[in-house]
Amino acid sequence: MNAEVSWRLENEIGGLRCGPLSAAVRLNELELGLTAITWHDRACDAFRALHIYAPVWGPRPAIGEAYVRGADLVATYKPSAEGEITTQYYWRSRFDPHLNAAAIEVVLSVQTALLDSSPITGLDHAVREGVVLQASALDPEAFQQHAPGHATIQFKSNVSRVCLFVLREPALGLSLATMVHPSDFFDAQLVYTPEYLASSVRTRLFPGRLEKGVIRRARIGGWFLPAENDLAVAVELAKRFIDEPLPLTT
């Protein structure tokens, strides 16, 4: 295991140290996403990252099993009372000292005991008082910047399966790059909320129906990195993410 990356699991809270990044995941409140985010010990309250909302088929599921494996955190949840859907979250964590980038990538798996169900799940990222850039090709020149106050923008997989976002907070000099793996991407929205001065990236996972015995997975990449040269670094990280195989333990 990389000595610069570690998880500590205590009282259903996973505490992460990943190079200059520290954060926490509350396993019983996944809709909070990463909490207590700091970069070089400086609080990063402007960011909301990896907020994963429970599928619409029922209430928040209970934790069945959670453990740390090397530099990764794994949590499996009991079947929901209404939908009989079992979920597993696998947080893959790595630090690249050459790019000065901290990766928290999530593999989300769902399966059901029902003949037919709908496991649709929501995923949010946001930045307050920052800017959002989006690219539909893995090229630093492909990014388009969306300043605060933008209208809601739709991104669809029938236009491009590649949908890479960079959320930049200039005051912190920090960016959050994120994308859903192209094989799992369906659609996303970029929404501005004036009362919070926040730009949010909202993505749907697992559209459509889920049949009994079928396991569906979605991979989400998230990388914290310095704002300087963030577009080129984000493209490099996204290319690696696309080419990597799924973890064998999911």
Side-chain angles (χ1 to χ4, degrees), residues 97-131:
H98 302 292
L99 298 177
N100 197 21
I104 307 98
E105 300 167 3
V106 179
V107 181
L108 172 57
S109 304
V110 294
Q111 58 181 313
T112 182
L114 300 179
L115 293 177
D116 182 59
S117 64
S118 176
I120 190 166
T121 303
L123 169 70
D124 280 11
H125 299 81
V127 63
R128 189 175 64 249
E129 298 187 81
V131 295

Side-chain angles (χ1 to χ4, degrees), residues 208-232:
R209 314 301 297 178
L210 177 65
E211 298 178 0
K212 182 178 180 179
V214 175
I215 299 175
R216 293 183 65 185
R217 294 186 175 97
R219 300 169 64 187
I220 305 111
W223 308 276
F224 284 92
L225 60 152
E228 183 180 3
N229 201 33
D230 54 3
L231 303 186

Side-chain angles (χ1 to χ4, degrees), residues 34 39 56 67 103 106 159 171 232:
L34 294 182
W39 182 263
V56 297
Y67 57 89
V106 179
V159 176

Side-chain angles (χ1 to χ4, degrees), residues 161-195:
R161 285 276 182 180
V162 172
C163 196
L164 174 61
F165 293 93
V166 172
L167 289 68
R168 183 188 295 156
E169 213 291 62
L172 290 171
L174 185 66
S175 295
L176 167 63
T178 182
M179 74 179 301
V180 173
H181 195 281
S183 62
D184 306 316
F185 177 69
F186 179 70
D187 65 15
Q189 284 186 326
L190 180 56
V191 180
Y192 183 68
T193 308
E195 56 267 38

Side-chain angles (χ1 to χ4, degrees), residues 10 27 73 78 140 148 152 154 163-164 175 199 210 225 237:
E10 186 176 351
L27 298 182
L73 174 66
K78 296 178 181 179
T152 297
Q154 303 278 351
C163 196
L164 174 61
S175 295
S199 295
L210 177 65
L225 60 152
L237 293 167

